[in-house]
Amino acid sequence: RREIIMAKYGIEAFKDNKPVAYPIDAKETYGTLSFTGSEVRNKFIYIDDDGEVHEEQNAQNTWKAQDTGQPQDKYIMAYSSKTKDVMDIHVPLDFDVDSLEFDQEIELIGAVVTIGNSEKEQKVVTRNGEQIRSVDCKTFPVQVEGVNVKSSKTVSQPAQHQGKNEQSSKPKE
């Protein structure tokens, strides 16, 4: 039902079973971005009670997850001067994070956001007191084609990879 309402107002999460990417002006949206770290997330497979292997977890979340050791997604983390928070940025797998130094200014190339479904823990006050509950929410993961690295001399240097934008429908965790 929420997807229908969002589509009514021009916000589509999926089209042709792929996440819809919305281009953004990263400088206007996030201000100055400073590199704080990186993370590679591996691909998981799921094994049911009969030993069959599946690419995705079942709805009941009961199959055993097994790490394949193969990288699936790569993220860099950057502090945004506008949002005053650290954000995850999805980059191509072959992006060279070793060329980045902590607190180095970066500029996003070809930045888009997609709409993802997630859950967050929220404090809820009931007549029985406060409780922590999981509530559904929307996430807006940022994905880029590449990253310009600003050197300490404030000269712009292109990243080693500025290839095709990779799409990921999985929300950040």
Side-chain angles (χ1 to χ4, degrees), residues 45-157:
I45 55 173
Y46 302 92
I47 303 169
D48 64 21
D49 295 335
D50 298 326
E52 272 191 62
V53 175
H54 304 270
E55 293 292 317
E56 295 186 19
Q57 180 65 275
N58 65 348
Q60 297 80 22
N61 206 23
T62 57
W63 294 341
K64 181 182 176 189
Q66 183 175 331
D67 187 339
T68 64
Q70 298 173 340
Q72 178 173 323
D73 293 301
K74 184 182 278 189
Y75 294 86
I76 58 173
M77 281 70 89
Y79 178 80
S80 164
S81 66
K82 231 175 189 176
T83 65
K84 306 287 186 219
D85 201 3
V86 175
M87 56 188 280
D88 292 353
I89 302 161
H90 189 251
V91 295
L93 277 173
D94 58 356
F95 179 77
D96 180 20
V97 295
D98 294 333
S99 65
L100 298 174
E101 296 177 20
F102 182 79
D103 211 24
Q104 189 169 28
E105 185 179 340
I106 59 173
E107 184 179 76
L108 307 182
I109 300 168
V112 296
V113 295
T114 56
I115 301 169
N117 295 314
S118 188
E119 288 185 351
K120 67 178 180 179
E121 290 188 350
Q122 186 171 342
K123 191 182 292 185
V124 178
V125 179
T126 66
R127 60 182 168 197
N128 296 331
E130 290 183 357
Q131 297 178 347
I132 303 292
R133 292 190 183 161
S134 289
V135 293
D136 292 336
C137 66
K138 294 290 181 190
T139 59
F140 301 91
V142 179
Q143 302 167 36
V144 297
E145 292 176 5
V147 175
N148 269 348
V149 179
K150 305 267 184 159
S151 73
S152 55
K153 299 174 187 167
T154 66
V155 176
S156 201
Q157 295 177 339

